[in-house]
Amino acid sequence: MSARQIALGDPEVPAASTPDTIPAGCYWWTDLAGDLCLLPGCAARVQDADAECTCDTLGARYARLQRQMRDQREKQRNADVWWRALRAAVEAHPDRAVILADAHRRAGR
Ligand SMILES: [Zn+2]
């Protein structure tokens, strides 16, 4: 075994599988014998290496991440509005101190 193989992982020292180490799409490479090998990134090519690749393009992945970021920001805005309203309701309540003490106890603070 060469150092190059260990860097890619081998049966004795497999490479860790994390989102940072797995190619985001189908990945073609040549092994030490020069044979062309496929690391499939989509279900189509897991089934058949000659199938048309259905991996997301970089642009599609970027657009999906942008949508997820917008959704998260909207959820945070809604949570912030709810938090301010709830906090104002508690501040205006005659049992404010009891309610806040109970909330601190429930939160473990
Ligand atoms: Zn693919």
Side-chain angles (χ1 to χ4, degrees):
M1 296 276 168
S2 73
R4 259 178 56 199
Q5 285 176 306
I6 290 171
L8 296 171
D10 62 46
E12 287 81 33
V13 187
S17 295
T18 70
D20 293 332
T21 60
I22 297 174
C26 289
Y27 179 75
W28 291 95
W29 53 284
T30 52
D31 64 14
L32 293 178
D35 294 325
L36 187 60
C37 302
L38 169 67
L39 180 59
C42 57
R45 282 193 168 162
V46 168
Q47 301 289 327
D48 176 7
D50 295 326
E52 187 169 336
C53 176
T54 59
C55 290
D56 281 345
T57 62
L58 188 59
R61 288 197 300 267
Y62 181 66
R64 186 173 57 245
L65 290 173
Q66 283 183 313
R67 279 193 306 275
Q68 289 172 348
M69 177 95 64
R70 268 196 310 272
D71 291 348
Q72 289 301 317
R73 285 182 178 150
E74 182 62 25
K75 285 180 184 177
Q76 186 61 53
R77 267 194 298 274
N78 290 337
D80 290 346
V81 168
W82 172 249
W83 168 249
R84 283 191 295 274
L86 184 60
R87 182 73 192 198
V90 170
E91 292 290 339
H93 197 279
D95 293 332
R96 168 188 176 275
V98 173
I99 295 170
L100 287 176
D102 184 39
H104 282 287
R105 182 186 54 76
R106 291 172 188 260
R109 297 179 184 168

